Amino acid sequence: MTRPVRFLALLFPNVTQLDLTGPAQFFSSPPGASVDLVWKDRSPVVTDAGFAIVPTVDFATAPQADVLMIPGGQGVFELLEDDETLDFVRRQAAGARFITSVCTGAFLLGAAGLLVGRRATTHWNSHAMLELLGAVPVEERVVRDGDLITGGGVTAGLDFALTVLAEVFDPQTARAVQLGYEYDPAPPFDAGHPSRPEADAGQVSSTLQTRRELREPVVRRAAARLAGRVEPVG
Amino acid sequence: MTRPVRFLALLFPNVTQLDLTGPAQFFSSPPGASVDLVWKDRSPVVTDAGFAIVPTVDFATAPQADVLMIPGGQGVFELLEDDETLDFVRRQAAGARFITSVCTGAFLLGAAGLLVGRRATTHWNSHAMLELLGAVPVEERVVRDGDLITGGGVTAGLDFALTVLAEVFDPQTARAVQLGYEYDPAPPFDAGHPSRPEADAGQVSSTLQTRRELREPVVRRAAARLAGRVEPVG
């Protein structure tokens, strides 16, 4: 892609901040890349880690993204019926070269009607629910389907970001960023996914249940709105 | 450690924000944990990724940390001769159960006199310079020496954070956090450290040279100040 390249990430209340800050760090690094964080206004936004991050642009003044990125977290489920946000996401997506999400950010893309028939992934704790919005859920850490690139839960955002950089620029740029941020992971435990040997089965089942109880009603309402939405005649 | 446990991370201008935001995410998760971000005042602090994060406390009102955490980035080298910051770090370190750093945050601990004779690590791009401050540089991703736990460059903060959680709470808590944030890394390239096969040797040598030129003078001045510092008689 011709530089400069504009990355635009949604920053909303109760975002899982690492979904956003991990990829934002990687995206900020290549020459010619710029990263903006966008919300309805430019007041500081409180994240799920308790501290606030300041948007760099608002919905009204945001530049057209080359790469649109939606992070996840419980806050995303408050937005699935928020027309102001959904309209902004649709508008940006229409002009973006890549439409992307990390973690449960995929549900906002889904509620905006952008995942119908598309292969996508999300956090393991909510993966099965993605189908309700018409997506084809794929159990991989990073999934590409044409101009749509989605990452799994939270820290999958780092692997996602390298994948995006390789597509947007080239593999050499992605490898340079990986080296610069010393991304040579060596977790001291092997519990990072339900499939891993040290993952606690009880935690997995209780998390799946609580997330479904908490999130499925609003995902179903978003799906119903989507099904009833009359597309403007072009 | 008896809960609640207070994590306190330094937030300064031009911090490499992922050094901070990665561990802060992990530390915020266990029941009974709280995370504060501290700077001289509570105005938003601009990070190296271009956006600002808001401190939750300032030097004057910060609670005593159980776990003190210093992230890195080029901004840390502006602080190596800043007595207000060095005094704050020393004061907090004196009461903390664990003294920790990620990436080049180790240089601030070193300038505060907290690494003399201690095993520690930092980003590969500045690793050798750590010795100037009296540390024993160890080439590992996470290094523990008693109450001192240091992590390597940027994304090493995630492996570091799990190690800290296992020490502060227990391994079960660390594994639960790992699963919750789906930390099951699968980078699409293998270039995350100079020792890896896809790392670009030219990038490694030019980075080592530029970092040395940029940082060694101030590290040497901090070392000289440290050598000349008269310790108060207790």
Side-chain angles (χ1 to χ4, degrees):
Chain A
M1 194 181 292
T2 311
R3 308 184 193 215
V5 173
R6 286 185 183 274
F7 294 86
L8 183 68
L10 194 70
L11 168 59
F12 50 84
N14 209 14
V15 64
T16 293
Q17 58 87 16
L18 186 54
D19 290 9
L20 170 66
T21 52
Q25 188 75 51
F26 282 22
F27 293 158
S28 73
S29 180
S34 70
V35 177
D36 276 305
L37 311 185
V38 63
W39 183 232
K40 294 177 181 179
D41 61 65
R42 295 184 56 181
S43 305
V45 174
V46 180
T47 71
D48 74 335
F51 61 81
I53 299 176
V54 188
T56 60
V57 291
D58 58 33
F59 281 5
T61 61
Q64 172 60 53
D66 295 307
V67 180
L68 176 66
M69 202 272 278
I70 313 292
Q74 186 55 34
V76 97
F77 295 90
E78 307 296 316
L79 300 175
L80 300 191
E81 301 170 286
D82 182 283
D83 284 322
E84 186 182 0
T85 302
L86 292 169
D87 287 347
F88 177 79
V89 169
R90 286 191 196 102
R91 199 163 63 240
Q92 282 284 340
R97 174 70 187 82
F98 289 97
I99 300 164
T100 75
S101 66
V102 174
C103 194
T104 50
F107 285 88
L108 187 58
L109 293 182
L114 298 165
L115 295 188
V116 178
R118 311 287 296 269
R119 300 168 67 248
T121 191
T122 188
H123 196 296
W124 64 260
N125 71 22
S126 300
H127 203 272
M129 284 185 271
L130 208 52
E131 199 170 13
L132 298 172
L133 294 167
V136 181
V138 176
E139 290 201 3
E140 287 174 17
R141 197 155 165 89
V142 182
V143 173
R144 176 166 181 195
D145 182 340
D147 66 355
L148 176 74
I149 305 178
T150 53
V154 197
T155 58
L158 301 182
D159 303 323
F160 153 90
L162 293 181
T163 302
V164 170
L165 288 171
E167 292 292 334
V168 168
F169 298 106
D170 48 62
Q172 186 182 349
T173 299
R175 286 193 295 262
V177 169
Q178 184 180 12
L179 179 58
Y181 293 127
E182 204 172 322
Y183 185 43
D184 184 28
F189 304 103
D190 191 3
H193 187 270
S195 64
R196 307 309 304 169
E198 294 189 312
D200 184 276
Q203 181 185 351
V204 171
S205 59
S206 72
T207 301
L208 285 170
Q209 186 183 334
T210 56
R211 290 305 182 283
R212 184 172 286 278
E213 287 169 3
L214 191 64
R215 296 171 174 178
E216 189 173 313
V218 68
V219 174
R220 286 195 178 277
R221 287 199 304 274
R225 289 175 103 240
L226 195 61
R229 188 165 174 263
V230 179
E231 294 295 332
V233 179
Chain B
M1 192 181 293
T2 312
R3 306 186 193 213
V5 173
R6 284 184 184 276
F7 294 86
L8 183 68
L10 194 70
L11 168 59
F12 51 84
N14 209 14
V15 64
T16 293
Q17 59 85 18
L18 186 54
D19 289 9
L20 170 65
T21 52
Q25 188 75 50
F26 282 22
F27 293 158
S28 73
S29 178
S34 70
V35 177
D36 275 305
L37 310 186
V38 64
W39 183 231
K40 293 176 181 180
D41 62 64
R42 295 184 56 183
S43 304
V45 174
V46 179
T47 72
D48 74 336
F51 61 81
I53 299 177
V54 189
T56 60
V57 291
D58 58 32
F59 281 6
T61 60
Q64 171 61 52
D66 295 308
V67 180
L68 176 66
M69 201 272 279
I70 313 293
Q74 187 53 34
V76 98
F77 295 90
E78 307 296 317
L79 300 175
L80 299 191
E81 301 171 286
D82 182 282
D83 284 322
E84 185 181 0
T85 302
L86 292 169
D87 288 347
F88 178 78
V89 168
R90 287 191 194 102
R91 197 162 66 240
Q92 282 285 341
R97 175 71 187 84
F98 289 98
I99 300 163
T100 76
S101 65
V102 174
C103 194
T104 51
F107 285 87
L108 188 58
L109 294 181
L114 298 166
L115 295 188
V116 178
R118 311 285 297 269
R119 300 169 67 249
T121 192
T122 188
H123 196 295
W124 64 261
N125 71 22
S126 300
H127 204 271
M129 284 185 269
L130 208 51
E131 198 169 16
L132 298 172
L133 295 167
V136 181
V138 177
E139 289 201 5
E140 288 175 18
R141 197 155 164 88
V142 183
V143 173
R144 177 166 180 194
D145 182 340
D147 65 354
L148 176 74
I149 305 178
T150 52
V154 197
T155 58
L158 301 182
D159 302 323
F160 153 89
L162 293 181
T163 302
V164 170
L165 288 172
E167 292 293 334
V168 168
F169 298 107
D170 48 61
Q172 186 183 349
T173 299
R175 287 193 294 262
V177 169
Q178 184 179 12
L179 179 58
Y181 292 126
E182 204 172 321
Y183 184 43
D184 184 27
F189 304 103
D190 191 4
H193 186 269
S195 64
R196 307 307 305 169
E198 294 188 313
D200 183 274
Q203 182 185 353
V204 171
S205 60
S206 71
T207 301
L208 285 170
Q209 185 184 335
T210 57
R211 290 307 183 279
R212 184 172 285 278
E213 287 169 4
L214 191 65
R215 296 172 175 177
E216 188 172 313
V218 67
V219 174
R220 287 196 178 276
R221 288 199 304 274
R225 289 176 103 238
L226 196 60
R229 188 163 174 263
V230 179
E231 293 295 333
V233 179

